[in-house]
Amino acid sequence: MSKKLLLVDVDCGLDDAQALLMALAAPEVDILGITCCFGNTTIDNVCRNVLRVLQVCNRMEIPVFRGASQSILGGNNPDYAHFGGDGLGDAADSSSPGLEHLQEEDAVHALIRITNQHPGQVSVVALGPLTNLALAVKIDPTLPEKLNKLYIMGGNLEGSGNRTVCAEFNFFLDPEAAFVVTSEFTCPIFIAALEFTLENCLTMEYFKKWVDQDTAKAKFMKKITARWLQKHGFVSYDSYAMAAAIDESIVTEYLECAVSVELHGRYARGMMVLDREHKWKKPHKAFLMKRCDLEKFKDRLWAALQ
């Protein structure tokens, strides 16, 4: 059976690293490239973090591309605090690979090129702000019809946010990009929204056993999460979108409806809006993840550190 071809777009913080480790451990997946976007930290740190993950997995042959350093409109950059200033718990060391390992081509053009080289075969897993994807579709409006599927971690289902009162982190950091992607991408879109990830989060007991495996990957994960876990519980937000991309049977129930993103509301800018009653008559609907086979998810996450 042929492998699933993935492009992964990240703002590499701790949960992106966990999702990447999951994909790198999946034998049925071929990662054609990793594109980087600002988000959990600066764009340079994001690139370094991706390279660190590839180094610990001995997969430095996978090309990494630098992408957007800020939102489409600018002026909405985060304070880079949730996962530490560098996005990976401020646990870098001198052995980390440098930016000279990046490709010369930028992320947006890499997304377009690789998709056009494999029309109808590539799925994108987008784990940060959607800036790179929005810029790509503006350069090549035919891009969405050439993608197989798009998996997104972002947005919210009930109007309760973790960045503002009403907005989820990834969508809030670039609402215009999220609006463009949810409006103009016509391929099947599968969204792991904030509430879905929180309702299916794993226990700290599982996490402690997970990072106590006697492997280089587990030791790496334990190191980069040490400070973060003192203040936060264990929610591997991005891993849910990645797990769905790897194995469709992991998500057992979806809500299918058209979605958009609020851009002008005084309080609700960046909030994902759901057309549950089909009033917009939009032909393209999103598949919003509702239920998860947690045993299968845990198996994938466990294998990520072996």
Side-chain angles (χ1 to χ4, degrees), residues 27 57 70 81 91 100 135 147 195 201 204 245 268 270 272 294:
C57 295
Q70 61 179 353
E100 66 273 10
L135 293 172
L147 284 176
E195 293 91 339
C201 66
M204 284 301 299
M272 186 165 71
L294 275 180

Side-chain angles (χ1 to χ4, degrees), residues 20-78:
L20 284 173
L21 286 162
M22 180 185 287
L24 291 165
E28 64 269 58
V29 163
D30 186 4
I31 301 176
L32 300 180
I34 302 171
T35 53
C36 299
C37 181
F38 82 102
N40 282 311
T41 184
T42 64
I43 186 60
D44 280 353
N45 282 339
V46 169
C47 294
R48 290 189 185 98
N49 293 347
V50 171
L51 293 169
R52 289 177 67 191
V53 173
L54 294 179
Q55 181 185 55
V56 78
C57 295
N58 296 312
R59 296 296 303 277
M60 292 293 289
E61 79 279 3
I62 296 176
V64 181
F65 306 89
R66 186 203 307 266
S69 62
Q70 61 179 353
S71 63
I72 288 175
L73 297 185
N76 196 29
N77 291 329

Side-chain angles (χ1 to χ4, degrees), residues 113-285:
R113 174 182 58 79
I114 295 171
T115 301
N116 277 284
Q117 288 174 344
H118 306 274
Q121 300 177 58
V122 177
S123 292
V124 171
V125 185
L127 305 178
L130 297 174
T131 314
N132 288 334
L133 275 70
L135 293 172
V137 74
K138 291 304 180 183
I139 293 173
D140 182 359
T142 69
L143 178 70
E145 64 192 49
K146 296 171 185 172
L147 284 176
N148 182 17
K149 296 173 183 175
L150 171 60
Y151 295 86
I152 295 172
M153 190 283 130
N156 46 359
L157 304 176
E158 305 294 341
S160 179
N162 63 346
R163 181 66 181 180
T164 66
V165 172
C166 293
E168 177 274 333
F169 181 88
N170 285 339
F171 277 28
F172 179 77
L173 288 191
D174 198 339
E176 279 71 26
F179 177 86
V180 167
V181 170
T182 55
S183 299
E184 299 187 24
F185 274 66
T186 54
C187 61
I189 300 177
F190 302 85
I191 301 178
L194 176 63
E195 293 91 339
F196 171 77
T197 63
L198 293 174
E199 290 167 5
N200 291 278
C201 66
L202 302 178
T203 65
M204 284 301 299
E205 180 182 6
Y206 173 88
F207 174 83
K208 290 175 182 178
K209 292 179 180 178
W210 184 54
V211 297
D212 278 340
Q213 297 181 74
D214 188 19
T215 68
K217 296 175 189 177
K219 292 173 183 176
F220 170 72
M221 185 56 58
K222 191 171 187 177
K223 177 182 178 180
I224 65 177
T225 54
R227 294 184 184 180
W228 172 68
L229 284 175
Q230 295 175 5
K231 298 181 179 180
H232 305 279
F234 174 52
V235 184
S236 189
Y237 303 97
D238 292 336
S239 297
Y240 294 89
M242 182 62 77
I246 296 170
D247 180 358
E248 294 179 1
S249 71
I250 287 177
V251 179
T252 59
E253 182 181 341
Y254 290 94
L255 168 65
E256 183 179 359
C257 70
V259 301
S260 189
V261 179
E262 174 60 44
L263 298 180
H264 306 295
R266 179 178 179 183
Y267 299 110
R269 175 170 163 78
M271 183 180 78
M272 186 165 71
V273 183
L274 280 57
D275 179 20
R276 298 174 186 266
E277 304 298 325
H278 311 296
K279 294 180 179 179
W280 296 337
K281 309 299 183 186
K282 291 177 71 171
H284 300 291
K285 297 176 173 60

